[in-house]
Coordinates of all heavy atoms in Angstrom, one line a residue:
N333 N 12.2 40.8 -2.6 CA 12.9 41.7 -3.6 C 12.0 42.1 -4.7 O 12.4 42.7 -5.7 CB 14.1 40.9 -4.2 CG 13.7 39.6 -4.9 OD1 12.5 39.3 -5.0 ND2 14.6 38.8 -5.3
G334 N 10.7 41.8 -4.6 CA 9.7 42.3 -5.6 C 9.4 41.3 -6.7 O 8.5 41.5 -7.5
V335 N 10.1 40.2 -6.8 CA 9.9 39.2 -7.8 C 8.5 38.5 -7.5 O 8.2 38.2 -6.4 CB 11.0 38.1 -7.9 CG1 10.6 37.0 -8.8 CG2 12.3 38.8 -8.3
K336 N 7.8 38.3 -8.6 CA 6.5 37.6 -8.5 C 6.6 36.2 -9.1 O 7.0 36.1 -10.2 CB 5.4 38.4 -9.2 CG 4.0 37.7 -9.2 CD 3.0 38.4 -10.2 CE 2.7 39.8 -9.7 NZ 1.6 40.4 -10.6
M337 N 6.2 35.2 -8.3 CA 6.0 33.9 -8.8 C 4.6 33.5 -9.0 O 3.8 33.7 -8.0 CB 6.7 32.8 -7.9 CG 6.6 31.4 -8.4 SD 6.7 30.2 -7.1 CE 8.4 30.4 -6.6
I338 N 4.2 33.1 -10.1 CA 2.8 32.7 -10.4 C 2.7 31.2 -10.5 O 3.5 30.6 -11.2 CB 2.2 33.4 -11.7 CG1 2.3 34.9 -11.6 CG2 0.8 32.8 -12.0 CD1 2.0 35.6 -13.0
V339 N 1.9 30.6 -9.7 CA 1.7 29.2 -9.7 C 0.3 28.9 -10.2 O -0.7 29.4 -9.6 CB 1.9 28.5 -8.3 CG1 1.7 27.0 -8.4 CG2 3.2 28.9 -7.8
Q340 N 0.1 28.2 -11.3 CA -1.2 28.0 -11.9 C -1.3 26.8 -12.7 O -0.3 26.3 -13.3 CB -1.6 29.2 -12.7 CG -0.8 29.4 -14.0 CD -1.3 30.6 -14.8 OE1 -0.6 31.6 -15.0 NE2 -2.6 30.5 -15.3
S341 N -2.5 26.2 -12.8 CA -2.8 25.2 -13.7 C -3.1 25.8 -15.0 O -3.7 26.9 -15.1 CB -4.0 24.3 -13.2 OG -5.1 25.1 -13.0
G342 N -2.8 25.1 -16.1 CA -3.2 25.6 -17.4 C -2.2 26.5 -18.1 O -2.3 26.8 -19.3
A343 N -1.1 27.0 -17.4 CA -0.1 27.8 -18.0 C 0.9 26.8 -18.7 O 0.7 25.6 -18.6 CB 0.7 28.5 -16.9
D344 N 1.8 27.4 -19.5 CA 2.8 26.5 -20.2 C 3.4 25.6 -19.2 O 4.0 26.1 -18.2 CB 3.8 27.4 -20.9 CG 3.3 28.1 -22.1 OD1 2.2 27.6 -22.6 OD2 3.9 29.0 -22.6
F345 N 3.4 24.3 -19.4 CA 3.9 23.3 -18.4 C 5.4 23.5 -18.3 O 6.1 23.5 -19.3 CB 3.5 21.9 -18.9 CG 3.9 20.9 -17.9 CD1 3.2 20.7 -16.7 CD2 5.0 20.1 -18.1 CE1 3.6 19.7 -15.8 CE2 5.4 19.1 -17.2 CZ 4.7 18.9 -16.0
G346 N 5.8 23.6 -17.1 CA 7.3 23.8 -16.8 C 7.5 25.1 -16.0 O 6.6 25.6 -15.3
V347 N 8.7 25.6 -16.1 CA 9.0 26.8 -15.3 C 9.6 27.9 -16.3 O 10.4 27.6 -17.1 CB 10.1 26.5 -14.3 CG1 10.4 27.7 -13.4 CG2 9.7 25.3 -13.4
T348 N 9.0 29.1 -16.2 CA 9.4 30.2 -17.1 C 9.9 31.3 -16.2 O 9.2 31.8 -15.3 CB 8.2 30.7 -17.9 OG1 7.6 29.6 -18.7 CG2 8.6 31.8 -18.9
F349 N 11.1 31.7 -16.5 CA 11.7 32.9 -15.8 C 11.7 34.1 -16.8 O 12.2 34.0 -17.9 CB 13.2 32.6 -15.5 CG 13.4 31.5 -14.4 CD1 13.6 30.2 -14.8 CD2 13.3 31.8 -13.1 CE1 13.8 29.2 -13.8 CE2 13.5 30.8 -12.1 CZ 13.7 29.5 -12.5
I350 N 11.2 35.2 -16.4 CA 11.1 36.4 -17.2 C 11.9 37.5 -16.6 O 11.6 37.9 -15.4 CB 9.6 36.8 -17.4 CG1 8.8 35.7 -18.0 CG2 9.5 38.1 -18.3 CD1 7.3 35.9 -18.0
G351 N 12.9 38.0 -17.3 CA 13.7 39.1 -16.8 C 13.6 40.3 -17.7 O 12.9 40.3 -18.7
S352 N 14.3 41.3 -17.3 CA 14.3 42.6 -18.0 C 14.9 42.5 -19.4 O 14.7 43.4 -20.2 CB 15.0 43.7 -17.2 OG 16.3 43.3 -16.9
E353 N 15.8 41.5 -19.6 CA 16.5 41.4 -20.9 C 16.3 40.0 -21.6 O 17.0 39.8 -22.5 CB 18.0 41.6 -20.6 CG 18.3 43.0 -20.1 CD 19.7 43.2 -19.7 OE1 20.6 42.5 -20.3 OE2 20.0 44.0 -18.8
G354 N 15.4 39.2 -21.1 CA 15.2 37.9 -21.8 C 14.3 37.0 -21.0 O 13.7 37.4 -20.0
K355 N 14.2 35.8 -21.5 CA 13.3 34.8 -20.9 C 13.9 33.4 -21.0 O 14.5 33.1 -22.0 CB 11.9 34.9 -21.6 CG 10.9 33.9 -21.1 CD 9.5 34.3 -21.6 CE 9.3 33.9 -23.0 NZ 7.9 34.1 -23.4
A356 N 13.7 32.6 -20.0 CA 14.2 31.2 -20.1 C 13.0 30.3 -19.6 O 12.4 30.6 -18.6 CB 15.4 31.0 -19.2
W357 N 12.9 29.2 -20.3 CA 11.8 28.2 -20.0 C 12.4 26.8 -20.1 O 13.2 26.5 -20.9 CB 10.6 28.3 -21.0 CG 9.7 27.1 -20.9 CD1 8.6 27.0 -20.1 CD2 9.7 25.9 -21.7 NE1 8.0 25.8 -20.3 CE2 8.6 25.1 -21.3 CE3 10.6 25.5 -22.7 CZ2 8.4 23.8 -21.8 CZ3 10.4 24.2 -23.2 CH2 9.3 23.4 -22.8
S358 N 11.8 25.9 -19.2 CA 12.3 24.5 -19.3 C 11.2 23.6 -18.8 O 10.4 23.9 -17.9 CB 13.5 24.2 -18.5 OG 14.0 22.9 -18.6
D359 N 11.1 22.4 -19.4 CA 10.4 21.3 -18.8 C 11.4 20.1 -18.7 O 12.6 20.4 -18.9 CB 9.1 20.9 -19.6 CG 9.4 20.3 -21.0 OD1 10.6 20.1 -21.4 OD2 8.5 20.1 -21.8
R360 N 11.0 18.9 -18.6 CA 12.0 17.8 -18.4 C 12.7 17.4 -19.6 O 13.8 16.9 -19.6 CB 11.3 16.6 -17.8 CG 10.8 16.9 -16.4 CD 10.0 15.7 -15.8 NE 9.6 16.0 -14.4 CZ 8.9 15.2 -13.7 NH1 8.7 13.9 -14.1 NH2 8.5 15.5 -12.5
G361 N 12.1 17.8 -20.8 CA 12.7 17.3 -22.0 C 13.6 18.3 -22.8 O 14.4 17.9 -23.6
K362 N 13.3 19.6 -22.5 CA 14.1 20.6 -23.3 C 14.0 21.9 -22.6 O 13.3 22.1 -21.6 CB 13.5 20.7 -24.7 CG 12.0 21.2 -24.7 CD 11.5 21.3 -26.1 CE 10.0 21.7 -26.2 NZ 9.5 21.9 -27.5
H363 N 14.8 22.9 -23.1 CA 14.7 24.3 -22.6 C 14.8 25.2 -23.7 O 15.4 24.9 -24.8 CB 15.7 24.5 -21.5 CG 17.1 24.5 -22.0 ND1 17.9 23.4 -22.1 CD2 17.9 25.6 -22.4 CE1 19.1 23.7 -22.6 NE2 19.1 25.0 -22.8
T364 N 14.3 26.4 -23.6 CA 14.4 27.5 -24.6 C 14.9 28.8 -23.9 O 14.6 29.0 -22.7 CB 13.1 27.8 -25.3 OG1 12.1 28.2 -24.3 CG2 12.6 26.5 -26.0
I365 N 15.6 29.6 -24.6 CA 16.2 30.8 -24.1 C 16.0 32.0 -25.1 O 16.1 31.8 -26.3 CB 17.7 30.7 -23.8 CG1 17.9 29.5 -22.9 CG2 18.3 31.9 -23.2 CD1 19.4 29.0 -22.8
E366 N 15.6 33.1 -24.6 CA 15.5 34.3 -25.4 C 16.2 35.4 -24.7 O 16.1 35.6 -23.5 CB 14.0 34.7 -25.5 CG 13.1 33.7 -26.2 CD 11.6 34.1 -26.2 OE1 11.4 35.3 -26.0 OE2 10.8 33.3 -26.4
P367 N 17.0 36.2 -25.5 CA 17.2 36.1 -26.9 C 18.1 34.9 -27.3 O 18.7 34.3 -26.5 CB 18.0 37.4 -27.2 CG 18.7 37.7 -25.9 CD 17.8 37.3 -24.8
E368 N 18.0 34.6 -28.6 CA 18.7 33.4 -29.1 C 20.2 33.4 -28.9 O 20.8 32.4 -28.8 CB 18.4 33.3 -30.6 CG 18.9 32.1 -31.3 CD 18.1 30.8 -31.0 OE1 17.0 31.0 -30.4 OE2 18.6 29.7 -31.2
S369 N 20.7 34.6 -28.7 CA 22.2 34.8 -28.5 C 22.6 34.1 -27.2 O 23.8 33.8 -27.0 CB 22.6 36.2 -28.5 OG 21.9 36.9 -27.5
L370 N 21.7 33.8 -26.3 CA 22.0 33.2 -25.0 C 22.1 31.7 -25.1 O 22.6 31.0 -24.2 CB 21.0 33.6 -24.0 CG 20.9 35.0 -23.5 CD1 19.7 35.2 -22.6 CD2 22.2 35.4 -22.8
K371 N 21.7 31.1 -26.3 CA 21.6 29.7 -26.4 C 22.9 29.0 -26.1 O 22.9 28.0 -25.4 CB 21.2 29.3 -27.8 CG 21.0 27.9 -28.0 CD 20.5 27.6 -29.5 CE 20.4 26.1 -29.7 NZ 19.9 25.8 -31.1
D372 N 24.0 29.5 -26.6 CA 25.3 28.8 -26.4 C 26.2 29.5 -25.4 O 27.4 29.2 -25.4 CB 26.0 28.7 -27.8 CG 25.2 27.8 -28.8 OD1 24.7 26.8 -28.4 OD2 25.1 28.2 -30.0
V373 N 25.7 30.4 -24.6 CA 26.6 31.1 -23.7 C 27.1 30.2 -22.7 O 26.5 29.2 -22.2 CB 25.8 32.3 -23.0 CG1 24.7 31.7 -22.1 CG2 26.7 33.2 -22.3
V374 N 28.4 30.4 -22.3 CA 29.1 29.5 -21.4 C 29.1 30.2 -20.0 O 29.5 31.4 -19.9 CB 30.5 29.2 -21.9 CG1 31.3 28.4 -20.8 CG2 30.5 28.5 -23.2
I375 N 28.8 29.5 -19.0 CA 28.9 30.0 -17.6 C 30.3 29.8 -17.2 O 30.9 28.7 -17.1 CB 28.0 29.3 -16.6 CG1 26.5 29.4 -17.1 CG2 28.1 29.8 -15.2 CD1 26.0 30.8 -17.2
G376 N 31.0 30.9 -16.9 CA 32.4 30.9 -16.6 C 32.7 30.3 -15.2 O 31.9 30.2 -14.3
S377 N 34.0 29.9 -15.1 CA 34.4 29.2 -13.8 C 34.3 30.2 -12.6 O 34.3 29.7 -11.5 CB 35.8 28.7 -14.0 OG 36.7 29.7 -14.3
N378 N 34.4 31.5 -12.9 CA 34.3 32.4 -11.8 C 32.8 32.9 -11.5 O 32.6 33.8 -10.7 CB 35.2 33.7 -12.1 CG 34.7 34.4 -13.4 OD1 34.1 33.7 -14.3 ND2 35.0 35.6 -13.5
E379 N 31.9 32.3 -12.2 CA 30.5 32.6 -12.0 C 29.8 31.6 -11.1 O 30.4 30.6 -10.7 CB 29.8 32.7 -13.4 CG 30.3 33.8 -14.2 CD 29.5 34.0 -15.5 OE1 29.8 33.2 -16.5 OE2 28.6 34.8 -15.6
I380 N 28.5 31.7 -10.9 CA 27.8 30.8 -10.1 C 27.6 29.5 -10.8 O 27.0 29.4 -11.9 CB 26.4 31.4 -9.7 CG1 26.6 32.7 -8.9 CG2 25.5 30.4 -9.0 CD1 25.3 33.5 -8.7
Q381 N 28.1 28.5 -10.2 CA 28.0 27.1 -10.7 C 27.1 26.3 -9.8 O 27.4 26.1 -8.6 CB 29.4 26.4 -10.8 CG 30.4 27.2 -11.7 CD 30.4 26.8 -13.1 OE1 29.8 25.8 -13.5 NE2 31.0 27.5 -13.9
L382 N 25.9 25.9 -10.3 CA 25.0 25.2 -9.4 C 25.4 23.7 -9.2 O 26.1 23.2 -10.1 CB 23.6 25.3 -10.0 CG 23.0 26.7 -10.0 CD1 21.6 26.6 -10.6 CD2 22.9 27.3 -8.6
Y383 N 25.0 23.2 -8.1 CA 25.2 21.8 -7.8 C 24.8 20.9 -9.0 O 23.8 21.0 -9.6 CB 24.3 21.4 -6.6 CG 24.6 20.1 -5.9 CD1 24.6 20.1 -4.5 CD2 24.8 18.9 -6.6 CE1 24.8 18.9 -3.8 CE2 25.0 17.7 -5.9 CZ 25.0 17.7 -4.5 OH 25.2 16.5 -3.9
K384 N 25.8 20.1 -9.4 CA 25.5 19.2 -10.6 C 25.3 17.8 -10.2 O 26.2 17.1 -9.6 CB 26.7 19.3 -11.6 CG 26.4 18.5 -12.9 CD 27.6 18.7 -13.9 CE 27.3 17.9 -15.2 NZ 28.4 18.0 -16.2
S385 N 24.2 17.2 -10.6 CA 23.9 15.8 -10.4 C 23.2 15.4 -11.7 O 22.3 16.0 -12.2 CB 22.9 15.6 -9.2 OG 22.3 14.3 -9.3
D386 N 23.6 14.3 -12.3 CA 23.0 13.7 -13.5 C 22.2 12.5 -13.2 O 21.6 11.9 -14.1 CB 24.1 13.4 -14.5 CG 24.9 14.6 -15.0 OD1 24.2 15.6 -15.2 OD2 26.1 14.5 -15.1
N387 N 22.2 12.0 -11.9 CA 21.4 10.9 -11.5 C 21.0 11.1 -10.1 O 21.8 11.0 -9.2 CB 22.2 9.6 -11.7 CG 21.3 8.3 -11.5 OD1 20.7 8.2 -10.4 ND2 21.3 7.4 -12.4
H388 N 19.7 11.3 -9.8 CA 19.2 11.6 -8.5 C 19.4 10.5 -7.5 O 19.7 10.8 -6.3 CB 17.7 11.9 -8.6 CG 17.2 13.0 -7.7 ND1 17.7 14.3 -7.7 CD2 16.3 12.9 -6.7 CE1 17.1 15.0 -6.8 NE2 16.3 14.2 -6.1
F389 N 19.3 9.3 -7.9 CA 19.5 8.1 -7.0 C 20.9 7.9 -6.7 O 21.3 7.6 -5.6 CB 18.8 6.9 -7.7 CG 17.4 7.1 -8.0 CD1 17.0 7.5 -9.2 CD2 16.4 6.9 -7.0 CE1 15.6 7.7 -9.5 CE2 15.1 7.1 -7.3 CZ 14.7 7.5 -8.5
R390 N 21.8 8.0 -7.7 CA 23.2 7.8 -7.5 C 23.7 9.0 -6.6 O 24.6 8.8 -5.8 CB 24.0 7.7 -8.8 CG 23.7 6.5 -9.6 CD 24.7 6.3 -10.7 NE 26.1 6.1 -10.2 CZ 26.6 4.9 -9.9 NH1 25.8 3.8 -10.0 NH2 27.8 4.8 -9.5
N391 N 23.2 10.1 -6.8 CA 23.6 11.3 -6.0 C 23.3 11.0 -4.5 O 24.2 11.3 -3.6 CB 22.9 12.5 -6.4 CG 23.2 13.7 -5.5 OD1 22.3 14.2 -4.7 ND2 24.4 14.2 -5.6
F392 N 22.2 10.4 -4.2 CA 21.9 10.0 -2.8 C 22.9 9.0 -2.3 O 23.5 9.2 -1.2 CB 20.5 9.4 -2.7 CG 20.2 8.8 -1.4 CD1 20.1 9.6 -0.3 CD2 19.8 7.5 -1.3 CE1 19.8 9.1 1.0 CE2 19.5 6.9 0.0 CZ 19.5 7.7 1.1
I393 N 23.2 8.0 -3.0 CA 24.2 7.0 -2.6 C 25.6 7.6 -2.5 O 26.3 7.3 -1.5 CB 24.2 5.7 -3.5 CG1 22.8 5.1 -3.5 CG2 25.2 4.7 -3.1 CD1 22.3 4.7 -2.1
D394 N 26.0 8.4 -3.4 CA 27.2 9.1 -3.3 C 27.3 9.9 -2.0 O 28.4 9.8 -1.3 CB 27.4 10.2 -4.5 CG 27.6 9.6 -5.8 OD1 27.9 8.4 -5.9 OD2 27.4 10.3 -6.8
C395 N 26.3 10.5 -1.6 CA 26.3 11.3 -0.4 C 26.2 10.4 0.9 O 26.7 10.8 1.9 CB 25.2 12.3 -0.4 SG 25.4 13.6 -1.7
V396 N 25.5 9.3 0.8 CA 25.5 8.3 1.9 C 27.0 7.9 2.2 O 27.4 7.8 3.3 CB 24.7 7.1 1.6 CG1 24.9 6.0 2.6 CG2 23.2 7.5 1.6
I397 N 27.8 7.8 1.1 CA 29.2 7.4 1.3 C 30.0 8.6 1.8 O 30.8 8.4 2.7 CB 29.7 6.8 0.0 CG1 29.0 5.6 -0.4 CG2 31.2 6.6 0.0 CD1 29.1 5.2 -1.9
S398 N 29.9 9.7 1.1 CA 30.7 10.9 1.4 C 30.3 11.7 2.6 O 31.1 12.4 3.2 CB 30.8 11.8 0.2 OG 29.5 12.5 0.0
R399 N 29.0 11.6 3.0 CA 28.4 12.3 4.1 C 28.2 13.8 3.7 O 28.0 14.7 4.5 CB 29.1 12.2 5.4 CG 29.5 10.8 5.9 CD 28.3 9.8 5.7 NE 27.2 10.1 6.6 CZ 26.0 9.6 6.5 NH1 25.8 8.7 5.5 NH2 25.1 9.8 7.4
E400 N 28.3 14.1 2.4 CA 28.0 15.4 1.9 C 26.5 15.6 1.7 O 25.7 14.7 1.7 CB 28.8 15.7 0.6 CG 30.3 15.6 0.8 CD 31.1 15.8 -0.5 OE1 30.4 15.8 -1.6 OE2 32.3 15.8 -0.5
E401 N 26.1 16.9 1.5 CA 24.7 17.2 1.3 C 24.3 16.8 -0.1 O 25.0 17.0 -1.1 CB 24.5 18.7 1.5 CG 23.0 19.1 1.5 CD 22.8 20.5 2.0 OE1 23.1 21.5 1.2 OE2 22.4 20.7 3.1
T402 N 23.1 16.3 -0.2 CA 22.5 15.9 -1.5 C 22.1 17.1 -2.3 O 22.0 18.3 -1.8 CB 21.3 15.0 -1.3 OG1 20.2 15.7 -0.7 CG2 21.7 13.8 -0.5

Side-chain angles (χ1 to χ4, degrees):
N333 61 4
V335 174
K336 177 191 293 185
M337 179 203 294
I338 299 170
V339 180
Q340 70 177 112
S341 57
D344 288 342
F345 184 74
V347 186
T348 304
F349 295 94
I350 302 171
S352 59
E353 300 174 23
K355 181 166 73 172
W357 166 89
S358 183
D359 65 8
R360 295 179 179 182
K362 62 181 179 179
H363 67 274
T364 60
I365 304 166
E366 299 175 17
E368 186 73 14
S369 58
L370 293 173
K371 181 179 178 182
D372 298 317
V373 69
V374 176
I375 302 299
S377 59
N378 61 335
E379 296 184 279
I380 296 170
Q381 303 269 347
L382 295 180
Y383 193 134
K384 184 177 180 180
S385 162
D386 294 320
N387 185 305
H388 213 60
F389 303 93
R390 290 192 68 87
N391 174 252
F392 172 61
I393 300 302
D394 288 344
C395 294
V396 167
I397 296 162
S398 70
R399 312 313 292 165
E400 295 175 358
E401 191 169 71
T402 65

